[in-house]
Amino acid sequence: MISFAAPWAFLLLPLPLLVYRLAPPHREKSNSIRIPFFRHVAKAAGIEPKSGSIIAQRPMLQTAVVILIWLMLVTALARPEKLSDPIVIEKSARDVVLALDISGSMDQRDFQSTDGTPEQRLAAVKDVMRKFIAERQGDRMALIIFGTRAFVQSPFTEDLSSLNGFLDQTQVGMAGPNTALGDAIGLGIRTFDASEVDQRLMIVLSDGADTSSRMTPTNASAIAADKGVVIYTIGVGDPNASGEDRVDLDALKAIADRTGGEYFFANDEAALAQTYQRIDEQNPRVVETQSYRPRESLAHYPSLVALLLMLGSTAGLHFAQRRRSLP
């Protein structure tokens, strides 16, 4: 499709005609020769002498060439462009932070895989999280791991393959044997400081009670609620265990309720997969769509035609004049 970026330039098309009609004619004086017996000479030549100016007539071909040159120049000024097919760019309108507990208790093999065999908690969580991440193409996601301390394993990225790579490198105990649930939420809130979108979602998975945080989960969830961060919590592990191995379901539920999220409990891989599916259903992909059409300028084509016409007409006049001057 061809369009013009400055179609108003075509208003200049009648400009030469207006100048021709309205502007005063150009007058140029030339030298003359006075000869005696002028009337006799004119009578002998059969010419009737008249007073006035001589108006040189332009050949029709030359007039057509001049009109065509002007048309090409005005077309170039109108900036013709070739429009390609629209290109649609989808940009995530929501950022997601995944906070994963990798304390020592995540090494226990009390999770049942889909085939019924016992599986390490962290290994089962990784398998489900990989599928969840793969299904959110186009979203920006970040990964936080926490044990005794909380760390950003991956900042916000749209490259979900690299995010899965960071997830694969995560091992039990990398961040210490204890559970710093409140610090993980606080670090997630700080991670959102680099986010420019309004919708912010955090998914926190933990299998123990908070034992080493400098910020309590209650205070962290209150700050998250003030900053508009919605937290979904997932409890895994044994709620009847003792000490740090007991998952604090009440704390996880309170965090989710405080921020407008939801709490889930999963005791096997199938239940965990269903939990992530429910989160995905409640929070479908949100995108901002932008589209543009690539433009290719074609102004050089009419400009080139005008240049060739000018060079050709100039060369033609030059050779015609030389031909007339030859004896």
Side-chain angles (χ1 to χ4, degrees), residues 248-266:
D248 192 350
L249 301 182
D250 292 335
L252 294 177
K253 188 175 186 304
I255 292 169
D257 293 341
R258 186 73 176 267
T259 61
E262 193 170 342
Y263 154 77
F264 301 93
F265 176 72

Side-chain angles (χ1 to χ4, degrees), residues 27-41:
R27 299 180 182 274
E28 182 178 341
K29 293 183 178 181
S30 61
N31 296 325
S32 61
I33 302 176
R34 301 186 66 171
I35 60 175
F37 313 110
F38 174 75
R39 292 183 180 275
H40 297 286
V41 173

Side-chain angles (χ1 to χ4, degrees), residues 11-294:
L11 297 175
L12 299 174
L13 281 175
L15 182 60
L17 182 60
L18 293 176
V19 173
Y20 179 78
R21 294 292 185 184
L22 302 178
H26 173 69
R27 299 180 182 274
E28 182 178 341
K29 293 183 178 181
S30 61
N31 296 325
S32 61
I33 302 176
R34 301 186 66 171
I35 60 175
F37 313 110
F38 174 75
R39 292 183 180 275
H40 297 286
V41 173
K43 185 177 180 180
I47 300 174
E48 183 181 354
K50 297 179 180 179
S51 61
S53 59
I54 298 176
I55 301 177
Q57 296 295 324
R58 181 182 290 113
M60 291 297 295
L61 178 60
Q62 190 176 359
T63 302
V65 170
V66 170
I67 293 175
L68 188 57
I69 289 174
W70 176 248
L71 178 61
M72 291 296 102
L73 291 176
V74 172
T75 302
L77 287 175
R79 292 163 54 193
E81 298 174 332
K82 179 182 178 182
L83 296 181
S84 301
D85 295 334
I87 296 178
V88 179
I89 299 176
E90 291 185 347
K91 180 181 179 182
S92 175
R94 179 181 56 210
D95 288 340
V96 181
V97 169
L98 301 176
L100 176 60
D101 185 352
I102 58 169
S103 59
S105 55
M106 289 292 287
D107 195 31
Q108 296 190 27
R109 304 181 64 87
D110 57 357
F111 245 58
Q112 284 190 355
S113 62
T114 53
D115 58 2
T117 59
E119 189 175 9
Q120 184 198 49
R121 289 180 185 175
L122 183 59
V125 169
K126 282 183 179 181
D127 290 339
V128 176
M129 287 184 69
R130 288 190 197 98
K131 299 176 183 177
F132 177 77
I133 292 172
E135 293 173 354
R136 304 193 74 87
Q137 290 295 330
D139 285 351
R140 289 204 329 157
M141 304 185 75
L143 176 63
I144 290 177
I145 58 174
F146 64 96
T148 306
R149 293 288 181 268
F151 302 94
V152 176
Q153 182 78 337
S154 171
F156 281 119
T157 179
E158 295 182 6
D159 185 359
L160 301 186
S161 297
S162 66
L163 188 68
N164 274 324
F166 285 114
L167 180 63
D168 292 338
Q169 297 173 11
T170 303
Q171 301 295 330
V172 173
M174 285 177 57
N178 302 323
T179 303
L181 179 59
D183 289 350
I185 296 174
L187 182 58
I189 295 171
R190 288 197 298 272
T191 304
F192 279 118
D193 289 341
S195 174
E196 298 179 354
V197 299
D198 295 329
Q199 296 186 359
R200 304 172 179 184
L201 174 66
M202 187 185 307
I203 301 174
V204 179
L205 186 145
S206 177
D207 73 336
D210 187 276
T211 56
S212 61
S213 288
R214 290 168 291 182
M215 176 187 295
T216 64
T218 302
N219 292 338
S221 60
I223 296 174
D226 292 339
K227 291 184 174 293
V229 178
V230 179
I231 301 178
Y232 283 76
T233 56
I234 304 173
V236 298
D238 186 2
N240 298 319
S242 60
E244 295 185 3
D245 293 335
R246 184 184 68 85
V247 58
D248 192 350
L249 301 182
D250 292 335
L252 294 177
K253 188 175 186 304
I255 292 169
D257 293 341
R258 186 73 176 267
T259 61
E262 193 170 342
Y263 154 77
F264 301 93
F265 176 72
N267 55 3
D268 56 34
E269 187 173 340
L272 185 60
Q274 186 177 7
T275 295
Y276 275 101
Q277 183 178 358
R278 288 185 59 188
I279 293 175
D280 199 21
E281 291 173 353
Q282 295 177 12
N283 297 271
R285 183 184 176 198
V286 180
V287 296
E288 294 177 350
T289 302
Q290 298 178 344
S291 63
Y292 73 97
R293 302 186 70 170

